[in-house]
Amino acid sequence: MKWYIDKGPESDVILSSRIRLARNLQGYPFPNRMTREASAKLGKEVLNSLKQRTDHSKGKFRTLEMSELGSEDKLALVERHLISEELTDPGLVRYAYISDDESVSVMINEEDHIRIQAMEAGLKLEEAYKAASDIAIHLEKTLQVGYSEKYGFTTACPSNTGTGMRASVIMHLPALTMTEKAGTVVEKIRKMGYSVRGYYGEHSSVQGSMFQISNQITLGLGEEELIVDLKKLISHIAEQERTARKQLSSKSPDLIEDRIFRAIGVLKYARKLSSEETLQLISEVRLGKALGIIDKPDEVNFNRIMSSIGPANIQKSEGRIMEPPERDKARALLVQREMEGV
Amino acid sequence: MKWYIDKGPESDVILSSRIRLARNLQGYPFPNRMTREASAKLGKEVLNSLKQRTDHSKGKFRTLEMSELGSEDKLALVERHLISEELTDPGLVRYAYISDDESVSVMINEEDHIRIQAMEAGLKLEEAYKAASDIAIHLEKTLQVGYSEKYGFTTACPSNTGTGMRASVIMHLPALTMTEKAGTVVEKIRKMGYSVRGYYGEHSSVQGSMFQISNQITLGLGEEELIVDLKKLISHIAEQERTARKQLSSKSPDLIEDRIFRAIGVLKYARKLSSEETLQLISEVRLGKALGIIDKPDEVNFNRIMSSIGPANIQKSEGRIMEPPERDKARALLVQREMEGV
């Protein structure tokens, strides 16, 4: 079962948690200065180590060599947050090592030699950290991982030096958005040294009131401390969102109800849907579920829809390259099927 | 059965046909100069004559004295095109004499002493004319109706002198509207001496691509000629609309289909609907039906919805005065029920 076919704690506000750890090997230049030969050698070394692991709690792993994948397959992995766009750059031999449930992926020869990523549904940063660090510890035992007592783990970009960890959470803040408080909240989060992005990560803008919040500081604090701090912040924002939802539904219940049901109507009946509009509509229906206005769909359906509506995933599931208008039709059909029982 | 629970000829483009005949009695001033006593006397005289009729093909008639009705009841009749707003003015004793199928109504002491109106679904001007003139002939036989060989029937406003007839047709022109040709068409119709109004008549703007087209000339031509000319014009516009529909659905079938299904989604799921939005959505779904994109609802459903979504009719069916937001909720519920099988 895929990791996102799950609700997780605090799923009324929190979609998912993610931990990413960066590690590099001694005796190799960073990927931006590496030769193709060196990248191939390093890749084999890391894969050999990974394949020695006997922990199969996340399912079997598959190894993907990037140059062997079609561009649509690569983009589909990016859309599902399984790899970064950087890993799809040609030049070096790059790998993705992905667990069957898609909750864990290891990128080899991305910006760093090794990036381990673990995802969980809901607010489960500790669990994600455990999954990622289990792999990191195994690699540290079997390979020469760069580490200094003073600075911590060596990384290609100094901003990651220290723990090499990025912890992030995707939050759904429709009530703060509707009441126009989201801007102020985001500003405060940024001032506290956290970064705020959209659902599709690094370069994406906020769509459908989905906010990705992550730490920027990696130096000077331990992993556990960073996670505790982020969790505190997330819980605080979640409470603000819940308060805003209560206010919305007590002040203008009819307006909210109308908006939610219209979103359902459009999701069920539209014959063309862009991914942006779909995210927005899903956001509204999800709010309806959280407010108890509707019974179905479940958070699980939302997560499944969201993981499959990106342009590349649409094309992958249809098995061919499509123009945007055609994709919008395929997306509408897919959403319609998911919304059938609603 | 009500007259609008019917399709009628050319119902793909033409919603309804209406004939209105104005008549006045000799020996009474026009209503704008009449005393209350005179209006009461004239009212009795006309009602007595009407009640002598033995033709019940349109069902039984009921007599409504305007001052006895609540303001919501009066407005509900206006919205259903059964009476004009002028008939609700206080001062004089005014009556409406309405057939059970609501296809025929006689207004007494409106702008003229007598206004006979007959409505039919689809393009049925001759039938409507027959229904109205049957009553007019009966009145002319039993009462002293003002008529001059030279000018025709006497009317309060000179613009109605002659036949005293206004023939009008409500057309549904969504494709001409979407392709922005409706403006040019309307301009041409007006230049030819016809008047163009919205669905709710005299002072209403065009909503939901529903256009009411009627003759302005009443003098110099016979009733049959006026009807033949209007029919020719209507058939010509209907052909233009049908051509535009074909072009739309061959040029951008996906766009049209998406628009139509979204309209269905909103009609089925919205929890608040204004009458303006409802007309617009109904217009789009009606186009979908005409293009064969959907099977249901039938034209009959559209007509029934349209006759019941006006603010006054909503309040009448709920049996109480309501604020606009409450009406919008009741309207959404009503539309939802009508759309159940769709």
Side-chain angles (χ1 to χ4, degrees), chain B residues 10-296:
Chain B
E10 310 206 24
S11 65
D12 60 328
V13 180
I14 294 151
L15 273 73
S16 60
S17 304
R18 181 156 49 148
I19 294 285
R20 188 263 287 151
L21 299 174
R23 297 291 184 267
N24 287 275
L25 298 196
Q26 292 173 19
Y28 288 95
F30 290 125
N32 63 342
R33 300 173 170 230
M34 219 179 198
T35 60
R36 192 176 164 80
E37 291 67 39
S39 72
K41 186 162 174 275
L42 181 139
K44 279 220 176 100
E45 212 176 315
V46 177
L47 283 172
N48 279 339
S49 165
L50 287 170
K51 285 172 186 169
Q52 286 161 23
R53 280 187 77 231
T54 49
D55 173 12
H56 293 305
S57 59
K58 302 291 178 184
K60 274 195 162 179
F61 281 76
R62 61 192 160 128
T63 307
L64 302 170
E65 212 244 274
M66 284 301 119
S67 66
E68 287 170 359
L69 298 182
S71 62
E72 290 312 308
D73 288 334
K74 284 187 275 195
L75 277 175
L77 294 170
V78 173
E79 279 175 8
R80 291 165 95 97
H81 299 130
L82 287 166
I83 64 169
S84 66
E85 260 194 87
E86 248 183 292
L87 196 73
T88 67
D89 284 349
L92 299 191
V93 178
R94 305 182 203 265
Y95 294 97
Y97 185 71
I98 300 172
S99 71
D100 192 41
D101 71 354
E102 297 188 359
S103 76
V104 174
S105 77
V106 183
M107 291 188 278
I108 304 173
N109 292 326
E110 203 244 20
E111 184 184 294
D112 293 295
H113 293 149
I114 304 164
R115 286 198 164 183
I116 307 157
Q117 177 186 260
M119 294 183 278
E120 295 279 347
L123 186 58
K124 272 189 168 177
L125 283 167
E126 290 93 344
E127 289 82 348
Y129 176 67
K130 184 171 184 312
S133 65
D134 278 357
I135 295 178
I137 291 165
H138 170 81
L139 292 173
E140 287 154 26
K141 276 186 195 153
T142 52
L143 301 167
Q144 296 295 314
V145 170
Y147 181 79
S148 94
E149 280 300 329
K150 194 169 174 195
Y151 298 114
F153 292 102
T154 321
T155 54
C157 175
S159 72
N160 291 319
T161 308
T163 59
M165 182 181 83
R166 177 137 297 157
S168 66
V169 169
I170 296 182
M171 301 193 79
H172 182 225
L173 308 175
L176 289 174
T177 304
M178 283 184 200
T179 55
E180 287 171 8
K181 287 175 196 147
T184 320
V185 172
V186 166
E187 213 175 298
K188 272 190 197 159
I189 304 171
R190 285 195 172 133
K191 272 189 187 152
M192 292 171 69
Y194 292 88
S195 92
V196 183
R197 293 164 180 152
Y199 178 68
Y200 286 115
E202 193 126 23
H203 309 293
S204 70
S205 60
V206 171
Q207 293 176 357
S209 312
M210 314 281 178
F211 296 78
Q212 192 189 110
I213 297 160
S214 59
N215 67 310
Q216 283 195 303
I217 300 161
T218 51
L219 195 63
L221 285 172
E223 287 86 347
E224 282 81 3
E225 281 170 288
L226 285 170
I227 288 173
V228 166
D229 285 358
L230 179 60
K231 266 190 80 172
K232 253 188 225 163
L233 174 68
I234 297 296
S235 299
H236 180 64
I237 304 167
E239 273 321 302
Q240 287 185 286
E241 168 66 18
R242 288 184 189 113
T243 306
R245 287 179 186 182
K246 269 179 211 145
Q247 283 170 350
L248 260 186
S249 62
S250 69
K251 265 192 200 163
S252 37
D254 296 344
L255 207 78
I256 291 296
E257 204 177 309
D258 182 49
R259 204 162 152 168
I260 287 158
F261 277 98
R262 278 171 186 252
I264 294 176
V266 175
L267 285 173
K268 281 176 85 92
Y269 281 88
R271 289 299 183 263
K272 285 166 88 75
L273 281 171
S274 70
S275 57
E276 189 167 353
E277 186 186 10
T278 311
L279 270 186
Q280 182 54 44
L281 295 168
I282 290 283
S283 165
E284 290 172 7
V285 180
R286 211 174 188 281
L287 175 63
K289 167 78 180 176
L291 291 175
I293 293 171
I294 50 168
D295 275 352
K296 286 197 279 183

Side-chain angles (χ1 to χ4, degrees), chain A residues 254 257-258 261-262 264-266 268-273 277 329 342, chain B residues 254 257-258 261-262 264-266 268-273 277 329 342:
Chain A
D254 296 344
E257 203 177 310
D258 182 48
F261 277 97
R262 278 170 185 254
I264 294 175
V266 175
K268 280 176 86 94
Y269 281 88
R271 289 298 183 264
K272 285 166 88 74
L273 281 170
E277 186 187 9
K329 280 172 76 177
V342 183
Chain B
D254 296 344
E257 204 177 309
D258 182 49
F261 277 98
R262 278 171 186 252
I264 294 176
V266 175
K268 281 176 85 92
Y269 281 88
R271 289 299 183 263
K272 285 166 88 75
L273 281 171
E277 186 186 10
K329 280 172 74 176
V342 184

Side-chain angles (χ1 to χ4, degrees), chain A residues 43-54 97 114 135-143:
Chain A
K44 279 219 175 103
E45 213 178 312
V46 176
L47 284 171
N48 279 339
S49 166
L50 286 169
K51 285 171 184 169
Q52 286 161 24
R53 278 188 77 229
T54 49
Y97 185 72
I114 305 163
I135 295 178
I137 290 165
H138 170 81
L139 292 173
E140 287 154 28
K141 277 185 194 151
T142 52
L143 301 168

Side-chain angles (χ1 to χ4, degrees), chain A residues 165-206:
Chain A
M165 181 180 85
R166 178 138 297 159
S168 66
V169 169
I170 296 182
M171 301 192 80
H172 181 228
L173 308 175
L176 289 174
T177 305
M178 283 183 200
T179 54
E180 287 170 9
K181 287 175 196 149
T184 319
V185 171
V186 166
E187 214 175 295
K188 273 189 196 161
I189 303 171
R190 286 194 171 131
K191 274 191 186 151
M192 291 171 69
Y194 292 88
S195 91
V196 183
R197 291 163 180 154
Y199 178 68
Y200 285 114
E202 195 127 23
H203 309 291
S204 70
S205 61
V206 171

